[in-house]
Amino acid sequence: GPLGQEIDGLSRTDYMYFVGSGEFGPSLDAELPGTKAGGILKVTEEMGDGAGDDLVGQAAEMTILVKDVKARVLPEADDDLAKTASEFDTLAELRDDLHTRLQESKEREAKGELRDRALQALMDSVEVDLPDTLIDDETEHRVTHAKQRAEQNGLTIEQVLEAEGWDEARLREDSRDHAIRAIKSDLVLEGVARAADIQVDADELGKEIGVLAQAYDRDPKELATQLDRSGQIVTLAGDIIRGKALDLLVEKADVTEEARSPEATETTEGTDDVTEDTEDTEEETHDE
């Protein structure tokens, strides 16, 4: 450390270290491989953010005593692993399930991106004059919500912003940008809904209330009554209508597949294989 002094808080005793983690910088990972138990290493590394503002960027010398070396060995990918780690009896069934889940995940991601792009394309093509008071109210609502989220996590909004390198002015600017997009998207989708005469019926409302009730562990009938009394049932109906309008927008969208670079192209052959090779990762216990 500076002037040859030990740096409080950065030393470790009987510490399990995973080679390749980069936790203490690249120099240690470069020197550790091949070191036996009892070996002593000395490396110099530039200190990062965890060292404190007055030490960041300064060079520190680390002395490491390797007390033990262990290897992590992955289990064999076979039917026994499938039975132990899943509800399936064979590795083939586990592979098929993983493949199906991966495909479904990719499809959901692609549909979400398509919905976002279709909505953005329509918003870009439409001029909407938004009242400043409406934008200001929505911005303030978002700022207040951010403060409440911070408090729920036992923090102040200042602490959260400081961790992100923001200040309240940046928060308000970001909140205003999101407010404008949210208001404009709602108005655009409501316009699509009116033009297409999109409606919502009781069955659709009931189904959505059922989903919400399950998510919040509530009785559906009790939740429906509460939403009706508070007037939020109208808000829910509006959300459903806008969702149906976005579905219609995507259905009518002119979708063109973008060219993909050779590096981004995935081969389908063997993509559902689970590797059966074991990978050794050395773990070093050391003092710093």
Side-chain angles (χ1 to χ4, degrees):
L3 305 178
Q5 298 177 355
E6 183 175 336
I7 304 172
D8 293 336
L10 295 185
S11 295
R12 301 286 188 273
T13 301
D14 295 333
Y15 186 73
M16 186 71 75
Y17 179 76
F18 287 81
V19 176
S21 68
E23 184 177 355
F24 299 113
S27 299
L28 180 58
D29 283 331
E31 296 291 336
L32 268 177
T35 306
K36 306 298 183 182
I40 297 177
L41 299 174
K42 285 190 177 183
V43 297
T44 300
E45 192 63 67
E46 184 178 290
M47 287 182 284
D49 295 338
D53 294 339
D54 57 333
L55 298 175
V56 172
Q58 295 191 36
E61 183 182 80
M62 293 183 286
T63 301
I64 300 97
L65 167 62
V66 179
K67 293 184 174 181
D68 194 13
V69 180
K70 297 181 179 180
R72 181 174 56 184
V73 181
L74 299 177
E76 290 292 332
D78 53 21
D79 291 348
D80 288 338
L81 174 63
K83 292 176 182 177
T84 303
S86 71
E87 70 272 26
F88 300 103
D89 293 327
T90 67
L91 183 61
E93 291 173 338
L94 175 57
R95 283 174 171 168
D96 290 342
D97 181 68
L98 291 174
H99 183 69
T100 300
R101 288 173 183 268
L102 181 60
Q103 283 296 117
E104 290 174 350
S105 177
K106 287 183 177 179
E107 288 173 4
R108 284 194 300 269
E109 184 178 334
K111 288 178 181 178
E113 184 176 353
L114 180 57
R115 289 167 72 84
D116 288 343
R117 290 191 179 189
L119 177 56
Q120 188 61 54
L122 182 57
M123 289 169 60
D124 290 342
S125 67
V126 176
E127 288 294 331
V128 181
D129 187 16
L130 303 178
D132 287 338
T133 53
L134 186 60
I135 297 174
D136 291 342
D137 287 346
E138 179 62 21
T139 301
E140 194 61 39
H141 170 74
R142 289 171 179 266
V143 170
T144 300
H145 188 55
K147 292 179 178 179
Q148 290 173 345
R149 283 202 312 270
E151 291 171 1
Q152 289 170 357
N153 291 318
L155 300 169
T156 65
I157 189 63
E158 289 78 16
Q159 289 173 317
V160 174
L161 293 175
E162 183 180 356
E164 297 179 357
W166 284 23
D167 55 19
E168 186 155 345
R170 174 69 185 276
L171 172 63
R172 288 189 173 277
E173 179 186 354
D174 184 73
S175 298
R176 184 178 179 83
D177 290 342
H178 282 84
I180 291 173
R181 188 183 189 282
I183 295 169
K184 186 173 181 179
S185 67
D186 281 356
L187 292 175
V188 166
L189 290 175
E190 286 165 11
V192 172
R194 283 194 300 272
D197 193 26
I198 295 174
Q199 306 290 332
V200 60
D201 58 33
D203 288 341
E204 290 170 327
L205 269 173
K207 183 179 179 181
E208 189 63 28
I209 290 173
V211 172
L212 290 173
Q214 185 174 10
Y216 292 100
D217 194 24
R218 297 280 302 277
D219 177 71
K221 291 184 179 179
E222 177 187 321
L223 180 59
T225 301
Q226 180 183 341
L227 291 173
D228 191 33
R229 288 176 178 173
S230 63
Q232 290 177 298
I233 197 77
V234 177
T235 303
L236 181 60
D239 290 341
I240 295 172
I241 288 174
R242 284 189 292 272
K244 292 170 72 173
L246 183 51
D247 289 338
L248 178 63
L249 191 61
V250 171
E251 182 184 330
K252 301 296 183 182
D254 182 13
V255 180
T256 302
E257 183 176 357
E258 294 181 356
R260 303 176 67 188
S261 64
E263 292 80 6
T265 303
E266 297 179 1
T267 59
T268 56
E269 183 179 353
T271 52
D272 59 343
D273 285 346
V274 178
T275 179
E276 298 186 15
D277 295 335
T278 58
E279 178 180 339
D280 292 347
T281 303
E282 290 181 330
E283 303 167 356
E284 307 281 350
T285 305
H286 70 283
D287 301 335
E288 182 181 333

